[in-house]
């Protein structure tokens, strides 16, 4: 079963006197590991006397069992610091991918098995500002784990982050940086896709700025993925195709037509098509005004992500405006907010109601939030 699975991915299973191992393109091997983890059943994590984690219990046990709980904690902290540095929060699937990738890289460095040079990314395509921020975080991480990441491993990490979608729209300056660094053909791909979908559905998608920015960020990452063979899994693929067959067919037709025009040598998977379909389907959903809350954290984006999940589950009627650090809150305009939920007490005055809650939002926290929303 393993041999058949890896053969389909273009890998080879080798049996020698020294042992059995897999050979092939490094990125393909790492994608296969992440792909297996992504298909494991997902449910909310239940930390047991451990640091909060964004991984579900099964993935956490698998990765901790292979690489050790200490390494896993250090990698999650590093990923959280990179997220904060470049101003994004990764979606769950992308998060598993990058954590798995760095753990594999660490294991290679410890055993002095380095990846082959070249074939990672064209230096001309690198965004110097984002690369510098990621490199600084990896340098700090390297010192903590006492492993030196060579340039090619750093480029692999950069490629994965550039190929990752975000769990929410980043702040405006990050969107501005993305627009400035976006290749003309990627921007044209996004604009023409929206125009074609508008013609197909007779819906004015071009007037939806939120759709444009969300779609551009996703397509920007998608193009990086298809160019460098970074694979993602859409856990809602079967449900998406079954519930929105017409929208899916329209998106698929438009995307494959544009691929022939702009990226004829590359492959766009069904999983990628499903994500694009969901962007347009969500844009059709009726939009009703919701009360806006801001989540403020002090111990890393990963920790606050747990709170974000709990708030979204318990209070679906609320709109989570952003997830930021306490330091960022001091410079943020809060006039557009109804409530601030913070995991740390505020030591300065702010013109917006706030409630201090735990990361897991226990029953007492929920009652306090409901009381604040009624005031």
């Amino acid at each position: 079963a393993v041999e058949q699975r890896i053969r389909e991915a273009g890998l080879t299973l080798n049996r020698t006197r020294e042992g059995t191992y897999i050979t092939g393109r490094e990125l393909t091997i790492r994608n296969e590991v992440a792909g297996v983890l992504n298909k494991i059943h997902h449910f909310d994590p239940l930390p047991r006397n451990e640091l909060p984690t964004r991984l579900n219990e099964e993935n956490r046990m698998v990765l901790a069992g292979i690489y050790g709980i200490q390494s896993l904690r250090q990698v999650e902290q590093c990923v959280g610091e990179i997220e904060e540095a470049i101003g994004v929060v990764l979606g769950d699937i992308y998060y598993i991918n990058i954590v798995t990738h760095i753990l594999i890289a660490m294991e290679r460095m410890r055993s002095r098995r380095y990846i082959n040079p070249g074939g990672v990314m064209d230096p001309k395509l690198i965004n110097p500002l984002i690369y510098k921020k990621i490199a600084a975080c990896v340098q700090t991480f390297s010192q903590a784990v006492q492993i030196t990441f060579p340039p090619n491993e750093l480029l692999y990490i950069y490629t994965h982050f550039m190929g990752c979608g975000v769990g929410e729209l980043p702040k405006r300056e990050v969107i501005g940086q993305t627009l400035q660094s976006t290749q003309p053909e990627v921007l044209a791909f996004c604009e023409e896709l929206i125009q074609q979908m508008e013609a197909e559905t007779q819906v004015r998608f071009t007037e939806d700025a939120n759709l444009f920015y969300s779609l551009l960020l996703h397509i920007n990452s998608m193009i990086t993925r298809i160019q460098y063979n970074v694979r993602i899994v859409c856990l809602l693929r079967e449900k998406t195709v079954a519930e929105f067959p017409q929208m899916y067919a329209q998106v698929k037709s438009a995307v494959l037509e544009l691929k022939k025009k702009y990226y004829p040598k590359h492959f766009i998977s069904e999983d990628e098509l499903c994500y694009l379909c969901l962007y347009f389907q969500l844009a059709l959903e009726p939009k009703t005004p919701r009360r806006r809350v801001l989540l403020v954290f002090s111990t890393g984006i990963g920790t606050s992500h747990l709170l974000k999940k709990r708030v979204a589950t318990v209070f679906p009627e609320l709109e989570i405006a952003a997830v930021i650090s306490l330091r960022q809150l001091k410079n943020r305009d809060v006039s557009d907010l109804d409530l601030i939920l913070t995991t740390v007490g505020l030591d300065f005055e702010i013109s917006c109601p706030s409630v201090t809650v735990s990361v897991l939002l226990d029953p007492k926290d929920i009652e306090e939030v409901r009381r604040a929303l009624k005031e």
Side-chain angles (χ1 to χ4, degrees), residues 296-298 326 329-330 342-348 354-357:
V296 178
F297 62 93
S298 63
L326 182 62
L329 177 62
K330 294 181 179 181
T342 173
T343 60
V344 61
L346 304 182
D347 57 359
F348 53 90
S354 65
V355 177
T356 302
V357 298

Side-chain angles (χ1 to χ4, degrees), residues 35-133:
V36 170
L37 287 173
N38 275 320
K39 290 181 179 178
I40 292 177
H41 178 64
H42 280 58
F43 56 89
D44 288 336
L46 298 173
R48 298 193 181 102
N49 298 321
E50 296 182 6
L51 295 177
T53 173
R54 279 158 62 181
L55 299 171
N56 66 47
E57 186 68 9
E58 289 161 309
N59 285 344
R60 185 192 64 80
M61 290 178 63
V62 169
L63 290 176
I66 297 173
Y67 301 105
I69 188 64
Q70 180 64 18
S71 292
L72 180 57
R73 286 174 174 173
Q74 291 171 318
V75 170
E76 287 204 81
Q77 181 179 349
C78 175
V79 172
E81 290 172 355
I82 294 176
E83 285 179 314
E84 183 174 359
I86 64 177
V88 301
V89 178
L90 302 180
D92 288 348
I93 290 176
Y94 306 101
Y95 183 81
I96 295 172
N97 281 8
I98 193 63
V99 168
T100 304
H101 170 89
I102 296 177
L103 284 167
I104 294 174
M106 288 175 63
E107 193 68 19
R108 282 194 174 279
M109 296 303 96
R110 286 186 174 126
S111 60
R112 297 186 179 278
R113 291 181 288 124
Y114 299 95
I115 60 175
N116 295 326
V120 182
M121 175 174 276
D122 184 346
K124 296 179 182 178
L125 301 178
I126 293 175
N127 181 313
L129 180 61
I130 295 179
Y131 181 85
K132 183 178 180 180
K133 291 180 178 180

Side-chain angles (χ1 to χ4, degrees), residues 262-280:
Y262 292 103
Y263 305 99
K265 296 181 180 179
H266 299 290
F267 172 72
I268 297 181
S269 69
E270 297 287 323
D271 296 270
E272 296 282 8
L273 293 173
C274 283
Y275 277 117
L276 295 176
C277 172
L278 289 173
Y279 277 105
F280 286 101

